[in-house]
């Protein structure tokens, strides 16, 4: 059975600024450079952005098997290569701007998919992410799903802080 997570990140900047940042390849390149402190093999594999259709980015990150928690090492016999895709559609200043995200691991034991919504608030903006995680390994699936969700919350928090700082420094 899948597990779900709803997470909201609040930003002091307006929604237009956050959208503008994510429409720039440099935003994603700088993020991957920061991830290299954790994993030396991180890259923006693909990036497209056009205000008339939106944005799509594909990120690739390799995490060494020895860096994985012991429970994850029981199902991953090699380094873990994560391919992550994110998208946002056309920006809507007075409404919700919708997007998706997903992550996959070749020969991995599960899937991660989600939808994201960017919208303005009285104090800036919010991105709400709704995630579904499924692990297809009997007996440990619930433990692995929970571990993935906990790590995902940490990732979302770190990325929200990164976005705030990047916008302040670059826009």
């Amino acid at each position: 059975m899948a597990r779900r997570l709803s997470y909201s990140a609040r930003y002091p900047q307006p929604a237009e600024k956050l959208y503008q940042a994510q429409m720039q390849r440099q935003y994603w390149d700088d993020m991957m450079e920061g991830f290299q402190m954790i994993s030396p093999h991180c890259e923006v594999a693909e990036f497209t952005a056009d205000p008339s259709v939106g944005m799509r980015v594909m990120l690739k990150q390799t995490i060494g098997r020895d860096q994985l928690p012991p429970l994850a090492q029981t199902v991953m016999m090699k380094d873990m290569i994560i391919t992550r895709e994110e998208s946002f559609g056309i920006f809507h200043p007075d409404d919700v701007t919708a997007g998706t995200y997903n992550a996959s691991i070749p020969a991995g034991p599960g899937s991660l998919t989600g939808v994201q919504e960017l919208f303005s608030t009285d104090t800036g903006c919010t991105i709400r992410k709704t995630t579904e995680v499924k692990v297809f390994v009997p007996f440990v699936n619930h433990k692995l799903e929970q571990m993935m969700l906990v790590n995902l919350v940490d990732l979302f928090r770190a990325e929200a802080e990164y976005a705030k700082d990047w916008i302040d420094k670059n826009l």
Side-chain angles (χ1 to χ4, degrees):
M1 177 173 221
R3 293 197 181 216
R4 290 183 173 76
L5 168 74
S6 185
Y7 181 85
S8 293
R10 290 166 184 77
Y11 301 85
Q13 296 96 344
E16 294 89 348
K17 287 277 189 190
L18 186 56
Y19 187 83
Q20 181 184 357
Q22 292 195 0
M23 291 288 284
Q24 297 182 41
R25 182 179 178 115
Q26 191 62 51
Y27 172 89
W28 300 101
D29 285 336
D30 291 349
M31 181 189 293
M32 290 297 94
E33 185 176 311
F35 277 176
Q36 289 180 0
M37 293 178 354
I38 301 166
S39 172
H41 303 288
C42 300
E43 67 173 325
V44 176
E46 295 177 21
F47 178 80
T48 57
D50 181 332
S52 66
V53 292
M55 173 280 299
R56 182 183 159 280
V57 63
M58 179 189 295
L59 310 172
K60 290 197 176 189
Q61 180 180 8
T62 302
I63 300 175
R65 184 175 184 273
D66 60 328
Q67 293 177 283
L68 299 173
L71 180 62
Q73 288 181 22
T74 64
V75 294
M76 294 301 299
M77 299 302 140
K78 298 180 179 180
D79 291 349
M80 185 167 63
I81 302 169
I82 302 169
T83 300
R84 179 173 143 199
E85 293 183 49
E86 287 206 31
S87 71
F88 267 115
I90 299 170
F91 181 69
H92 300 286
D94 299 321
D95 200 1
V96 173
T97 300
T100 62
Y101 56 95
N102 65 70
S104 62
I105 301 167
S111 66
L112 183 148
T113 59
V115 294
Q116 55 187 349
E117 299 172 312
L118 170 63
F119 54 92
S120 296
T121 64
D122 291 340
T123 59
C125 70
T126 295
I127 290 184
R128 182 177 10 203
K129 294 181 178 265
T130 305
T131 307
E132 181 175 276
V133 173
K134 292 181 189 175
V135 173
F136 311 113
V137 180
F139 307 114
V140 296
N141 59 333
H142 294 301
K143 289 180 183 179
L144 283 172
E145 288 168 352
Q146 188 61 36
M147 184 178 64
M148 288 172 68
L149 291 176
V150 167
N151 288 324
L152 197 57
V153 168
D154 291 343
L155 175 68
F156 288 162
R157 283 184 184 142
E159 287 183 355
E161 286 302 315
Y162 163 78
K164 290 174 193 172
D165 291 343
W166 196 91
I167 291 168
D168 286 345
K169 292 175 184 172
N170 294 284
L171 297 179

